[in-house]
């Protein structure tokens, strides 16, 4: 059974960048899209975008364009999300999740989430 | 971009009752490309339903999904104590793969 294991909580200063990792255990990244979703405190789920590791193809939500970068390392079965120019509004739990397929983007399983706190 | 609107915002029911959640899309959700998730406090979301009506692996049959076009429903036939959580719908017709704002199910 596939599990996604994310890196630990981060505290960052405004204007800096954060890198969150998402390692797949029990399976490979391969052709499954890895999607990133964030959840601000007390708020709903917000889709940030996705990467198809085998192709390196990315799709970013417009509001994050230019500020977020997704990468993947198939040798370690790990996907990464870098969010730059951090501001307080970026304080949230960031989740990675695997999509069923390129054309069937429902998400299962999910990582446990990584809390990113942006504070001066 | 497809916007999903869920109603009600909060649903207050008792164990044993039936729960019905609504998800309305701003544009047609073709091929019934709609999923439902459950999220409990401090946990990641869990997939319940995909393709509008197919239960994910391990999901009890008290959970069912229905609908087409722009109107979709998640039903829990008989509430168990562990079902009290927040429920989200999500469309995967086209990017951005948006979520509804969620419906909180709490104990009456």
């Amino acid at each position: 059974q596939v599990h996604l294991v994310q890196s630990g909580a981060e505290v960052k200063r405004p204007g800096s960048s954060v890198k969150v990792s998402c390692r797949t255990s029990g399976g490979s990244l391969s052709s499954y899209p890895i999607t990133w979703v964030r959840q601000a405190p007390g708020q709903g789920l917000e889709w940030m975008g996705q990467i198809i590791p085998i192709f390196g193809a990315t799709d970013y939500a417009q509001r994050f364009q230019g500020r977020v970068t997704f990468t993947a390392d198939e040798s370690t079965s790990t996907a990464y999300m870098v969010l730059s120019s951090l501001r307080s509004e970026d304080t949230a739990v960031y989740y990675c999740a695997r999509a069923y397929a390129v054309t069937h983007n429902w998400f299962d399983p999910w990582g446990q989430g990584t809390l990113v706190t942006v504070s001066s | 971009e497809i916007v999903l609107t869920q109603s009600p915002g909060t649903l207050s029911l008792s164990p044993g009752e039936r729960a019905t959640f609504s998800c309305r899309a701003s544009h047609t959700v073709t091929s019934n490309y709609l999923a439902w998730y459950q999220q409990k406090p401090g946990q990641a979301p869990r997939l319940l339903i995909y393709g509008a009506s197919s239960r994910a692996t391990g999901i009890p049959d008290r959970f069912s999904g229905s609908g087409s076009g722009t109107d979709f429903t998640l039903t829990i036939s008989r509430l168990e104590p562990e079902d009290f959580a927040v429920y989200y719908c999500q469309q995967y017709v086209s990017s951005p793969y948006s979520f509804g704002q969620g419906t909180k199910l709490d104990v009456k």
Side-chain angles (χ1 to χ4, degrees):
Chain A
Q1 188 170 353
V2 174
H3 295 279
L4 302 184
V5 181
Q6 297 184 226
S7 48
E10 302 263 11
V11 179
K12 293 292 182 180
R13 299 294 189 202
S16 67
S17 297
V18 67
K19 187 173 186 177
V20 178
S21 68
C22 172
R23 179 175 57 84
T24 302
S25 68
S28 65
L29 287 179
S30 192
S31 60
Y32 295 101
I34 295 293
T35 206
W36 291 88
V37 173
R38 78 176 186 180
Q39 186 171 39
Q43 302 301 307
L45 303 171
E46 180 176 27
W47 186 80
M48 299 179 68
Q50 70 178 31
I51 183 169
I52 305 173
I54 196 171
F55 302 122
T58 54
D59 179 13
Y60 300 121
Q62 189 169 15
R63 66 171 293 181
F64 298 104
Q65 285 273 4
R67 213 161 61 93
V68 71
T69 304
F70 302 144
T71 58
D73 182 344
E74 288 201 76
S75 68
T76 60
S77 298
T78 303
Y80 299 92
M81 185 230 19
V82 174
L83 185 62
S84 60
S85 302
L86 290 169
R87 35 208 188 228
S88 58
E89 310 89 89
D90 294 317
T91 294
V93 176
Y94 290 77
Y95 294 101
C96 62
R98 193 180 79 169
Y100 179 77
V102 173
T103 56
H104 292 76
N105 282 282
W106 68 79
F107 308 130
D108 181 53
W110 293 63
Q112 82 276 20
T114 296
L115 174 62
V116 175
T117 303
V118 183
S119 174
S120 55
Chain B
E1 177 174 343
I2 297 177
V3 176
L4 299 177
T5 302
Q6 293 186 239
S7 61
T10 302
L11 192 55
S12 297
L13 294 170
S14 301
E17 291 192 292
R18 181 185 187 90
T20 302
F21 306 85
S22 174
C23 177
R24 178 161 289 178
S26 60
H27 300 83
T28 298
V29 177
T30 54
S31 303
N32 286 347
Y33 278 5
L34 189 109
W36 290 93
Y37 300 85
Q38 175 194 68
Q39 187 180 33
K40 297 180 180 179
Q43 295 184 17
R46 175 174 74 143
L47 176 70
L48 297 175
I49 300 285
Y50 61 92
S53 60
S54 297
R55 271 188 302 276
T57 302
I59 301 304
D61 60 8
R62 64 179 182 273
F63 290 90
S64 64
S66 63
S68 64
T70 60
D71 291 299
F72 297 87
T73 300
L74 173 71
T75 301
I76 309 174
S77 60
R78 188 176 172 82
L79 286 168
E80 297 289 342
E82 62 267 27
D83 298 336
F84 292 89
V86 180
Y87 292 82
Y88 295 94
C89 56
Q90 177 239 333
Q91 63 81 19
Y92 50 96
V93 174
S94 60
S95 173
Y97 301 119
S98 47
F99 292 88
Q101 82 278 18
T103 292
K104 183 179 181 181
L105 174 63
D106 64 17
V107 181
K108 187 174 182 180

